[in-house]
């Protein structure tokens, strides 16, 4: 979707900071004395008119508002995907009579041609200004530092260099202090560097701790399934699995319902492992997180290997499948399909694929649905929390 910017004869666009969205924007010269915004709104839902020290946004159905050039890309990003005037009255507060994003923009330096940011495919680069360089030979960090320091309205402590799919955060006062990261991590890294919530050292330290967040694939000799108090769970003994690690339990604000059964009282107010039994496409059912209710499980030991079961079906992972869910199905899982059980420091259990290093996680995509899977996505490994399960006898 192309944006329209109208440029009066007295505005010199070469003095403006460049924006990513300039690439999908048509700059049209106008004569200020004859240009009538009200008439233009009859054919365009939205457009911008530049002024010397601010710019005006015109949206059909609302009054025009003046904006600070500091936030031009962020405001252009907002109006590119919306033509509703009311949304801007709260999204962009007024300061000194101009609407803006209060946080300064991050300065990007982008290699022209094939860099990831040129795709304009996400919000990470919304609050930014940008300069382009043609090749790696033109990547002059000292020149980039000068450019950042000449623009006190942008983030001063760091800037971002994007070449292809590589991103590099650079400290302005010490260009040897850099951190390279992928596009999957950029939203968290760029936003927290810009806000001051993190430093480059924050992410370097996280790299060092990543190994500690992975499971150790070795099996414990003589493994027995035990509850958090160390008591052995015998084969066939019925229990439920309470989810602890994803949001530390579910606290209901509602009054305790009347006439609840003893089993319902056990489940109420906590998160549990449940089974999605609504599939009608022929696939096996799979586990998910559910507040206030769940299903029961047992274990079965075969050749010194402990398998988790629901009724007469076994929990398994499909290494060849399209998803990383935990399924239940008929028949003892093959070695490649087995689920391996680990203990955390509190005596609760965590799950991996057999010999795997990635713990199952529960991502609460809705307040009443937690997606349980082995998620090897980079940002989940770094910032996600493994799912801890507490064995509760019922």
């Amino acid at each position: 979707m192309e944006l329209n910017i109208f440029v009066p004869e007295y505005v010199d666009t070469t003095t403006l900071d460049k924006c990513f969205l300039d690439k999908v924007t048509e700059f049209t010269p106008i004569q200020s004395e004859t240009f009538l915004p009200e008439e233009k709104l009859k054919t365009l839902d939205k457009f911008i008119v530049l002024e010397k020290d601010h710019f005006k946004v015109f949206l059909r159905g609302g009054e025009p508002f003046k904006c600070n050039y500091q936030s031009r890309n962020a405001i252009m990003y907002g109006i590119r995907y919306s033509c509703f005037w009311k949304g801007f009255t709260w999204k962009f507060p007024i300061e000194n009579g101009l609407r803006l994003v209060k946080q300064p923009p991050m300065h990007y330096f982008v290699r022209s041609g094939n860099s990831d940011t040129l795709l304009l495919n996400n919000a990470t680069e919304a609050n930014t200004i940008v300069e382009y360089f043609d090749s790696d030979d033109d990547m002059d960090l000292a020149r980039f530092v000068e450019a950042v320091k000449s623009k006190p309205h942008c983030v001063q402590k760091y800037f971002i260099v994007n070449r292809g799919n590589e991103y590099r955060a650079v400290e302005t006062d010490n260009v040897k202090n850099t951190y390279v990261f992928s596009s999957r991590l950029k939203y968290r890294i760029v936003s927290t560097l810009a806000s001051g919530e993190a430093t480059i050292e924050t992410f370097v330290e996280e790299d060092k701790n990543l190994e500690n967040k992975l499971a150790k694939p070795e099996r414990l000799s003589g493994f027995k399934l035990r509850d958090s108090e160390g008591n052995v769970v015998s084969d066939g003994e019925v229990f439920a699995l309470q989810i602890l690690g994803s949001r530390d339990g579910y606290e209901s604000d509602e009054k305790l319902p009347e006439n609840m059964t003893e089993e319902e009282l056990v489940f109420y107010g906590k998160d549990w492992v449940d089974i999605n039994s609504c599939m009608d496409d022929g696939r096996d059912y799979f586990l998910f997180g559910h507040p206030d209710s769940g299903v029961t499980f047992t274990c079965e030991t075969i050749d010194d290997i402990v398998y988790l079961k629901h009724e007469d079906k076994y929990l398994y992972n499909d290494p060849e499948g399209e998803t990383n869910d935990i399924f239940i199905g008929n028949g003892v899982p093959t070695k490649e399909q087995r689920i391996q059980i680990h203990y955390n420091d509190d005596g609760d259990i965590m799950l991996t694929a057999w010999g795997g290093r990635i713990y199952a996680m529960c991502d609460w995509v809705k307040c009443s649905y937690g997606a349980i899977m082995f998620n090897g996505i980079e940002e989940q490994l770094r910032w996600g929390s493994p799912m801890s399960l507490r064995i509760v006898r019922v």
Side-chain angles (χ1 to χ4, degrees):
M1 182 184 297
E2 194 170 75
L3 296 172
N4 291 277
I5 291 183
F6 296 99
V7 186
E9 69 279 4
Y10 50 79
V11 175
D12 181 4
T13 57
T14 63
T15 64
L16 303 180
D17 291 329
K18 293 182 175 63
C19 295
F20 281 112
L21 286 182
D22 289 346
K23 290 183 170 292
V24 290
T25 299
E26 181 178 350
F27 290 81
T28 304
I30 59 170
Q31 291 299 313
S32 56
E33 292 183 358
T34 58
F35 182 76
L36 299 174
E38 296 78 11
E39 289 298 313
K40 188 59 67 175
L41 281 172
K42 293 179 180 179
T43 57
L44 293 175
D45 289 329
K46 52 200 173 184
F47 58 86
I48 289 172
V49 177
L50 302 183
E51 298 291 343
K52 285 186 176 181
D53 57 358
H54 66 275
F55 63 96
K56 289 182 180 178
V57 172
F58 292 82
L59 297 174
R60 185 180 295 174
E63 295 294 322
F65 49 87
K66 298 179 180 180
C67 302
N68 192 315
Y69 273 117
Q70 167 183 312
S71 304
R72 184 166 72 89
N73 198 73
I75 292 172
M76 288 169 63
Y77 184 91
I79 68 173
R80 187 188 186 201
Y81 298 106
S82 173
C83 57
F84 298 105
W85 180 81
K86 289 184 178 179
F88 289 84
T89 60
W90 63 267
K91 188 178 294 185
F92 301 106
I94 297 176
E95 189 172 286
N96 298 324
L98 303 178
R99 292 196 180 273
L100 79 167
V101 177
K102 288 194 173 183
Q103 181 173 294
M106 179 67 82
H107 203 315
Y108 273 65
F109 297 89
V110 175
R111 186 180 65 190
S112 302
N114 66 342
S115 291
D116 184 66
T117 50
L118 303 179
L119 300 176
L120 303 176
N121 57 353
N122 61 69
T124 304
E125 282 80 43
N127 190 22
T128 56
I129 57 177
V130 62
E131 290 186 24
Y132 299 97
F133 58 96
D134 293 330
S135 67
D136 288 351
D137 292 337
D138 299 323
M139 196 182 78
D140 184 345
L141 295 184
R143 181 175 66 81
F144 295 169
V145 168
E146 290 180 8
V148 172
K149 291 188 173 182
S150 71
K151 300 172 183 177
H153 54 278
C154 72
V155 173
Q156 291 293 292
K157 189 170 179 59
Y158 301 105
F159 59 88
I160 304 297
V161 179
N162 175 217
R163 301 181 300 165
N165 292 318
E166 178 195 276
Y167 288 79
R168 182 183 300 268
V170 183
E171 184 177 350
T172 309
D173 291 332
N174 178 14
V175 295
K176 293 183 179 180
N177 188 23
T178 68
Y179 183 76
V180 177
F181 54 96
S182 70
S183 61
R184 297 206 68 102
L185 301 181
K186 69 176 180 177
Y187 180 79
R188 174 80 166 258
I189 290 176
V190 173
S191 61
T192 54
L193 287 177
S195 66
E197 298 172 61
T199 64
I200 285 176
E201 289 71 24
T202 303
F203 305 114
V204 171
E205 193 62 28
E206 285 181 354
D207 286 346
K208 295 177 182 177
N209 291 329
L210 275 178
E211 180 67 20
N212 297 329
K213 300 188 75 171
L214 298 174
K216 293 179 173 55
E218 297 82 8
R219 288 185 60 208
L220 296 175
S221 59
F223 181 89
K224 300 287 185 182
L225 184 62
R226 301 175 185 272
D227 61 22
S228 59
E229 297 179 354
N231 301 311
V232 173
V233 179
S234 303
D235 285 3
E237 192 171 358
V238 178
F239 56 89
L241 292 172
Q242 180 187 348
I243 302 173
L244 302 176
S246 53
R247 55 179 181 174
D248 293 329
Y250 166 75
E251 295 294 336
S252 175
D253 293 330
E254 299 178 3
K255 184 179 179 181
L256 189 68
E258 297 181 359
N259 302 318
M260 294 185 73
T261 66
E262 185 174 341
E263 182 172 315
E264 288 173 333
L265 285 170
V266 170
F267 285 94
Y268 186 75
K270 300 181 178 68
D271 294 328
W272 302 90
V273 176
D274 206 339
I275 289 176
N276 187 327
S277 57
C278 301
M279 307 299 294
D280 57 3
D281 58 1
R283 292 188 298 159
D284 283 340
Y285 300 153
F286 55 87
L287 305 189
F288 76 104
H290 194 191
D292 297 336
S293 67
V295 296
T296 56
F297 299 89
T298 59
C299 66
E300 179 179 351
T301 305
I302 303 173
D303 297 331
D304 293 327
I305 296 172
V306 176
Y307 297 89
L308 296 175
K309 300 179 65 176
H310 169 66
E311 297 179 348
D312 60 344
K313 298 181 183 294
Y314 295 82
L315 273 62
Y316 75 93
N317 170 57
D318 183 4
E320 304 298 328
E322 297 180 357
T323 67
N324 292 315
D325 300 296
I326 298 177
F327 299 94
I328 62 168
N330 296 316
V332 178
T334 64
K335 180 178 181 180
E336 292 74 20
Q337 294 176 323
R338 292 174 191 160
I339 301 296
Q340 189 163 340
I341 304 169
H342 305 258
Y343 293 109
N344 63 19
D345 293 339
D346 295 324
D348 298 307
I349 65 173
M350 299 188 293
L351 307 178
T352 67
W354 191 256
R357 303 205 65 193
I358 297 172
Y359 290 113
M361 296 184 181
C362 182
D363 182 14
W364 290 94
V365 293
K366 295 182 180 179
C367 61
S368 60
Y369 184 91
I372 294 176
M373 63 183 64
F374 300 117
N375 197 333
I377 297 175
E378 193 175 0
E379 64 266 34
Q380 288 290 345
L381 289 178
R382 181 180 289 265
W383 298 306
S385 297
M387 178 179 65
S388 292
L389 301 174
R390 177 156 295 173
I391 294 172
V392 179
R393 291 174 170 81
V394 294

